[in-house]
Amino acid sequence: MSTLTDLVYAQALSSDADVEWLHRLAGDGQLLADLAFADIVVWVPTPDDSFVAVAHTRPSGAATLFYRDIVGDRVRPQWGTQVREAFRTAAIVDSASPDWFEETPTRVRAVPIVRDDRREGSEPTVVGVLTRHTNLGEARAPSRQQITFNDCADDLFGMIASGDFPDLSAPTGPRRGAPRASDGLIRLDVNGITTFASPNALSAWGRLGFDDELEGESLSEVTAKVLPTKQTIDESLPLVVSGRAPWRSDIEARGVAVSLRAIPLRARGERIGAIILCRDVTEIRHQEQELITKDATIREIHHRVKNNLQTVASLLRIQARRTHSEEARDALTQAMRRVSAIAVVHDTLSEGLAQSVDFDEVFARVLKLVAEVAAGAGTRAQTRSIGTFGELPSEYATPLALALTELVTNAVEHGLAGREGQVEIEAMRSTSRLKVSVRDTGSGLPEGQVGRGLGTQIVRTLIQGELGGTIDWHTLVGSGTEVTIDIPLRWIDRSRADTRPVPLGH
C-alpha cells in the first residue's frame, strides 16, 4: 500500500507544505471519525480533473461503510460532483438526499481542506477535500454524548474549511497512550467552564480525586484542587486545561496519571471553546518506567561485563609478559586479543538504548586493536575498510567481531609475516545477507591449503555454527589470500506482531 506522501506526490499538484498539512489532518482522522461516527476519507485532485483517496479512517464506535480500503481509488461518480463543488467553492457541501452505497443508505458531507499557514504568511489554499460518510442504516435516537460528539465534529469540520485545523503549532508525535475521543471527552465553553463530560472522562477525574460533577465547573479550578500542593507541574498544563492552546500534558495525583490533549475550537476566527481529550495512562506510564529501568539495568550489565573482560584481558597481558615460553606467550596474547574484541561489543552496547550496535564503529575499534597486537617484528600491515556493515543485534555482533578478529589477525601474522603489505576488509550488505571479504597481499597459503589451527576452528564455529553462514578460502600462491564469509540476516523485529525478516540498517 502506498503511503499518503507517495499518493499525493503522484498527482504532481501539491507542494511540500500541502503534503505536511494533509499529513497532520490524516493524523487526526481517527478523532474525526470517532466524533462523527462515520468513515472519513481524504481526497486530493488529479491532473485529469478527478480525485484520488489518500487516507481513510473507520469509526471505532459505529459500523463502517467500507469493508475494503479505498485508499488509492478514484472518487466514485455519486460523490464526484459534491467533492468537486467543495473543492471549487471552498465551502462545505452536504448531500441533498440519502446516498446509497452497496444497498446502505448514507449521508455524505464534503469539506474543503484549506491550508492557511499563517506562520508563512501564505494565502489560504484548498489542497483537497474531506468526506464524511455516515451510515444511516443503523439510525437510532442519539444519546446526549452522540449529539455532543457530532457537534464537536461539526466544529472541527468548520475549522478545516476555514484553515484553522489542523494547528501546526500543536506538537507532533504524541506519546504512547495519547487520548482518543472514546477514552474521555470534555467540552469547554469560551470561559473554560465544562459544558459536557463523557462517562469515561468523569471516571478519569474521579480516580484523580474529584468526586463531584464536572459540568458547570471550571476545569482549571478542578485541576488545581486535585493536584498535590508540592508537585511540580508542567508549564503547559494551565493552558491545556483552559483549552487555550493545542498542546498536551499529563496530570498525576493519588498514584494515577491522566494524559490530556486540548483542541481549541474557533468559528470565523473567534475562539468559542475547546475539546479536552483525557485518558487514564497509569498502567502505560508504569510500563514505560519499567522499560526505562530495564534499559538502564541492561546498559549497566554490559558496562560491568566490559569492565570484567578488560580486567581479564589485562591479567592475560601481564601473564604473557611474565612467561618464558614463546608458545605460551603467543597463546596468552591471542586469548587476550579475543577477550578484548568481545569487550568492545559490550562497551558499545553499554552506551546505547537499543540492543543493537553500529557494527562499523565496533569493527573500527577491533581493527585498531588487532593491528596493534598482531604486527610483529619486521611486519608492517596497512589495513583498509570498504563498505558498511550497518546496525546488527548483539547476538550477531559478538561472534562476527570475534571471527573478523581472527581473520585479520591471521592475515597480518601469517599472510604478511616479516613483510610489508595490505589487509583489505570489504563489507557488502543487502536486505537479506551480509557478505564480508578479508584480503591480504601476502604470499598465500601453501598449495591453497586452509589453515588447521585454533583460529581457523574458532572462525568456522562462529560463522557456521552461531551465525548460520558460510566461509570460503581462496588462495593463489604469490598473490595473497581472500577469505569470504556470507551471513543470512534473519534479525526479527520484536516490536512487530509478525516474524517476517526485517532489513537491517533501514
Side-chain angles (χ1 to χ4, degrees):
M1 181 68 69
S2 299
T3 65
L4 183 149
T5 302
D6 294 335
L7 288 167
V8 173
Y9 277 134
Q11 310 313 317
L13 295 176
S14 299
S15 64
D16 291 342
D18 293 344
V19 174
E20 172 63 21
W21 194 270
L22 291 168
H23 261 296
R24 287 293 193 103
L25 182 61
D28 276 317
Q30 192 63 59
L31 171 64
L32 295 170
D34 291 344
L35 290 176
F37 296 93
D39 286 88
I40 299 296
V41 183
V42 176
W43 307 87
V44 297
T46 62
D48 58 355
D49 194 33
S50 183
F51 287 81
V52 64
V54 295
H56 170 216
T57 309
R58 298 178 175 89
S60 57
T64 181
L65 285 171
F66 308 109
Y67 294 96
R68 296 183 182 275
D69 283 329
I70 64 172
V71 173
D73 292 353
R74 287 177 173 266
V75 65
R76 301 198 177 197
Q78 63 263 42
W79 311 323
T81 301
Q82 198 174 338
V83 169
R84 289 186 184 89
E85 184 179 353
F87 186 81
R88 179 181 57 83
T89 63
I92 296 176
V93 180
D94 289 308
S95 55
S97 59
D99 175 71
W100 289 86
F101 178 78
E102 296 183 356
E103 300 182 355
T104 301
T106 65
R107 180 182 296 114
V108 180
R109 166 171 285 190
V111 181
I113 302 172
V114 177
R115 180 176 67 84
D116 187 7
D117 191 354
R118 297 172 179 85
R119 296 180 306 175
E120 296 181 354
S122 59
E123 292 295 324
T125 306
V126 181
V127 299
V129 176
L130 177 148
T131 53
R132 180 185 71 178
H133 303 260
T134 306
N135 187 343
L136 300 179
E138 298 185 351
R140 59 183 183 275
S143 63
R144 182 165 176 254
Q145 174 170 311
Q146 185 172 352
I147 293 173
T148 303
F149 275 32
N150 277 321
D151 288 343
C152 292
D154 289 341
D155 289 333
L156 290 177
F157 290 144
M159 292 171 61
I160 292 171
S162 63
D164 291 316
F165 189 83
D167 193 324
L168 295 186
S169 65
T172 59
R175 294 180 66 183
R176 193 164 66 99
R180 300 159 297 187
S182 58
D183 296 320
L185 181 143
I186 299 173
R187 175 74 183 248
L188 303 181
D189 65 15
V190 70
N191 297 314
I193 304 300
T194 303
T195 60
F196 173 82
S198 71
N200 285 343
L202 286 173
S203 298
W205 287 89
R207 287 188 284 271
L208 287 170
F210 185 78
D211 298 325
D212 207 346
E213 290 293 329
L214 279 174
E215 292 187 24
E217 298 287 340
S218 167
L219 192 61
S220 297
E221 294 178 3
V222 171
T223 303
K225 291 178 182 178
V226 301
L227 285 175
T229 56
K230 297 183 179 180
Q231 177 177 315
T232 302
I233 64 172
D234 188 344
E235 294 179 354
S236 65
L237 181 58
L239 294 173
V240 171
V241 295
S242 63
R244 294 179 177 275
W247 295 341
R248 304 184 182 94
S249 186
D250 283 1
I251 298 177
E252 295 187 14
R254 300 173 63 181
V256 175
V258 174
S259 179
L260 303 176
R261 178 192 176 186
I263 305 174
L265 299 176
R266 297 181 178 86
R268 293 178 294 276
E270 297 293 328
R271 193 168 63 86
I272 61 173
I275 299 171
I276 308 296
L277 303 177
C278 54
R279 179 181 182 182
D280 186 340
V281 292
T282 306
E283 186 61 29
I284 293 176
R285 296 295 178 259
H286 285 168
Q287 292 174 358
E288 289 177 346
Q289 188 59 45
E290 289 175 357
L291 288 174
I292 292 173
T293 302
K294 178 183 176 181
D295 288 338
T297 302
I298 292 174
R299 289 199 304 273
E300 179 62 22
I301 290 173
H302 283 302
H303 181 70
R304 294 189 181 187
V305 170
K306 181 263 298 185
N307 287 343
N308 291 338
L309 290 173
Q310 287 182 337
T311 300
V312 173
S314 297
L315 293 175
L316 291 171
R317 184 183 295 109
I318 293 172
Q319 189 65 42
R321 290 173 178 173
R322 290 176 176 267
T323 186
H324 298 291
S325 168
E326 189 67 28
E327 184 178 354
R329 183 182 298 110
D330 290 343
L332 290 171
T333 301
Q334 291 176 9
M336 181 271 294
R337 183 173 59 251
R338 291 160 185 155
V339 171
S340 297
I342 299 174
V344 167
V345 177
H346 285 281
D347 187 29
T348 306
L349 287 169
S350 70
E351 297 173 355
L353 292 175
Q355 286 302 294
S356 60
V357 295
D358 181 352
F359 197 79
D360 293 289
E361 177 185 348
V362 171
F363 184 65
R365 296 171 62 181
V366 168
L367 194 58
K368 183 179 180 181
L369 174 69
V370 171
E372 291 176 352
V373 176
T379 302
R380 296 181 60 187
Q382 296 178 350
T383 57
R384 178 190 177 196
S385 296
I386 304 174
T388 59
F389 292 89
E391 282 199 356
L392 292 175
S394 57
E395 56 263 35
Y396 276 67
T398 300
L400 183 59
L402 193 53
L404 291 178
T405 298
E406 295 297 328
L407 291 177
V408 176
T409 299
N410 287 340
V412 174
E413 288 186 339
H414 303 295
L416 302 177
R419 67 172 67 186
E420 180 178 352
Q422 187 178 71
V423 178
E424 183 178 85
I425 305 94
E426 181 178 10
M428 294 165 287
R429 180 165 182 168
S430 67
T431 56
S432 60
R433 308 197 73 80
L434 173 64
K435 185 176 180 180
V436 185
S437 298
V438 180
R439 295 182 285 266
D440 66 69
T441 57
S443 58
L445 293 173
E447 300 180 1
Q449 296 179 359
V450 176
R452 300 176 182 175
L454 177 61
T456 302
Q457 295 177 20
I458 290 175
V459 172
R460 287 190 184 277
T461 300
L462 293 171
I463 299 301
Q464 298 176 347
E466 295 196 28
L467 297 178
T470 60
I471 183 168
D472 191 18
W473 277 263
H474 303 281
T475 304
L476 295 175
V477 177
S479 301
T481 303
E482 179 182 45
V483 183
T484 302
I485 60 177
D486 192 352
I487 303 170
L489 298 178
R490 296 187 301 269
W491 185 25
I492 296 176
D493 187 346
R494 294 175 178 82
S495 66
R496 301 192 179 191
D498 57 30
T499 56
R500 293 172 295 176
V502 178
L504 297 176
H506 289 267

